[in-house]
Amino acid sequence: MELGLYTFADVSPQPGPGAIGPHERLRNLIEEIELADQVGLDVFGLGEHHRPDYAASAPVVALAAAAEHSKRIKLTSAVTVLSSDDPVRVFQQFATLDLLSGGRAEIMAGRGSFIESFPLFGYNLEDYDELFAEKLDLLLAIRDQVKVTWSGNLRAAINDRGVYPRPFQDRLPIWIAIGGTPQSAARAGALGLPLALAIIGGEPARFAPLFDLYREAAKRAGSDPAGLATSINVHGFIADTTEQAADDFYGPQAEVMNRIGRERGWGPTSRAHFDQSRGPNGALFVGSPEQVAEKIVAQHKIFNNDRFLLQMAIGTMPHAKIMKAIELYGTRVAPIVRKETAKSAPAVAAPVA
């Protein structure tokens, strides 16, 4: 099973003493990716957002910088908001990243958990679903053939035009990222694309039927489900002790969840809810290296997932603590997880679609 990290490159929403701005956050980000590579983690993902509380509106630029500071770690978006972007440019940018990194680029495409990019780039939210379906169709056509002839309803047609440069890899990996919508899981399966499932609340085991639906849709479409990779993407944090991990992570994570919750009408979180969520059946992976490793292995038994991505840098976490957590993840968590999951049936080594 591949183990990795993802982040949205959080910054302080308001300036002031102690605030972390985009310059500092992006420089720290490169150090985090470099360390993740050095300690043997497999994947690093960077999410696209267009808000004042995140610095990563152009993830592929930051990932390209990180490519020059790393050697083997895969570099992916987490996610690319494909609905409000142009598939030609998305492909060209990630093909360029792939060339710079020697074949380590991936695209994780999604519809986006925020809507700021739609009015920003002139798209109608009423076309939310159709935009994604149509642009995904074009992106796959570009990936699979050098010269493209394509037409749709929401974007100008392309008539026998080449899209360059081509990536270093023969086939640029494209994942579909979802947040729990059954229709999205079924679409990914029908298209034969790897699936990344974000689980940030509730009991993770309740999401397992989505992977069943995904694999059944793939089977009906003529794809071998055993050849399709899956990932679960979660929140969590690692420290030397469980108590330290919980104390370090709760404040920044609660601030972010409450800020977003006020926008969406969620009730406020609490330390009691947080502590329950980091229990054996909760969605948070917070604790000592041994405790987090045990929970990752337990979830793998439920999902049989091929990849596990952990979001630790939520809110303005101190850089030194993030770096320590990455070190623990690579040097103490990963060896336990790899040993235990190797005892089960082998997972798919890497996505082929």
Side-chain angles (χ1 to χ4, degrees):
M1 181 168 62
E2 293 182 323
L3 298 171
L5 293 159
Y6 73 105
T7 182
F8 301 151
D10 300 48
V11 296
S12 303
Q14 301 293 333
I20 297 176
H23 171 74
E24 180 183 358
R25 182 66 190 96
L26 290 172
R27 299 313 307 171
N28 290 345
L29 173 68
I30 302 303
E31 293 183 6
E32 292 164 17
I33 298 175
E34 184 176 14
L35 178 60
D37 183 57
Q38 291 172 351
V39 298
L41 294 176
D42 301 298
V43 187
F44 200 103
L46 182 58
E48 174 193 344
H49 289 292
H50 302 268
R51 298 165 49 94
D53 40 355
Y54 301 114
S57 61
V60 73
V61 178
L63 293 175
E68 296 301 299
H69 292 265
S70 57
K71 296 179 179 178
R72 57 170 298 275
I73 196 166
K74 295 178 181 178
L75 302 169
T76 181
S77 54
V79 301
T80 294
V81 186
L82 189 60
S83 307
S84 57
D85 210 331
D86 186 86
V88 173
R89 291 300 284 155
V90 169
F91 183 87
Q92 290 173 328
Q93 291 162 0
F94 278 89
T96 302
L97 172 62
D98 203 49
L99 292 165
L100 288 169
S101 66
R104 294 184 282 131
E106 296 183 354
I107 299 171
M108 192 185 299
R111 295 186 297 178
S113 58
F114 294 97
I115 63 171
E116 287 84 0
S117 64
F118 289 84
L120 184 64
F121 296 113
Y123 291 100
N124 192 334
L125 274 172
E126 293 181 359
D127 299 325
Y128 184 80
D129 292 320
E130 188 178 0
L131 278 167
F132 182 73
E134 186 170 289
K135 292 190 175 188
L136 179 61
D137 183 60
L138 176 54
L139 181 63
L140 294 175
I142 296 168
R143 181 196 63 176
D144 293 340
Q145 54 205 48
V146 177
K147 288 197 172 183
V148 178
T149 296
W150 178 92
S151 63
N153 296 322
L154 300 173
R155 188 205 185 277
I158 300 175
N159 184 24
D160 195 34
R161 304 297 297 181
V163 179
Y164 308 102
R166 305 308 294 181
F168 185 90
Q169 300 175 77
D170 291 336
R171 212 160 184 243
L172 192 64
I174 298 174
W175 290 67
I176 299 298
I178 69 170
T181 305
Q183 294 88 341
S184 297
R187 171 165 48 200
L191 293 171
L193 296 173
L195 179 65
L197 172 62
I199 304 174
I200 61 172
E203 292 188 20
R206 294 182 179 179
F207 291 83
L210 289 172
F211 279 171
D212 296 335
L213 176 63
Y214 163 71
R215 293 176 177 122
E216 180 59 32
K219 186 177 179 180
R220 288 199 306 267
S223 297
D224 180 4
L228 296 178
T230 56
S231 174
I232 58 172
N233 302 355
V234 303
H235 290 180
F237 194 72
I238 306 161
D240 286 317
T241 68
T242 295
E243 293 75 15
Q244 182 185 351
D247 290 344
D248 288 346
F249 191 63
Y250 171 68
Q253 196 257 2
E255 192 278 327
V256 169
M257 298 306 289
N258 282 331
R259 181 183 347 121
I260 296 172
R262 288 191 293 271
E263 298 175 8
R264 300 186 176 184
W266 302 342
T269 189
S270 66
R271 182 60 190 254
H273 180 263
F274 171 83
D275 288 337
Q276 181 181 26
S277 296
R278 63 183 176 89
N281 298 320
L284 295 179
F285 288 68
V286 177
S288 67
E290 294 73 22
Q291 186 177 20
V292 171
E294 180 182 353
K295 192 166 183 177
I296 294 172
V297 172
Q299 294 301 310
H300 181 260
K301 292 177 180 178
I302 296 172
F303 291 102
N304 193 30
N305 49 304
D306 307 288
R307 178 178 287 184
F308 175 89
L309 297 187
L310 183 62
Q311 184 180 7
M312 295 195 294
I314 300 176
T316 51
M317 293 286 294
H319 180 52
K321 291 186 177 182
I322 290 293
M323 295 291 278
K324 177 64 174 179
I326 293 172
E327 179 186 352
L328 293 172
Y329 189 13
T331 61
R332 292 177 58 183
V333 175
I336 298 171
V337 172
R338 288 169 179 150
K339 180 180 178 180
E340 292 299 316
T341 56
K343 297 176 183 178
S344 62
V348 190
V352 295

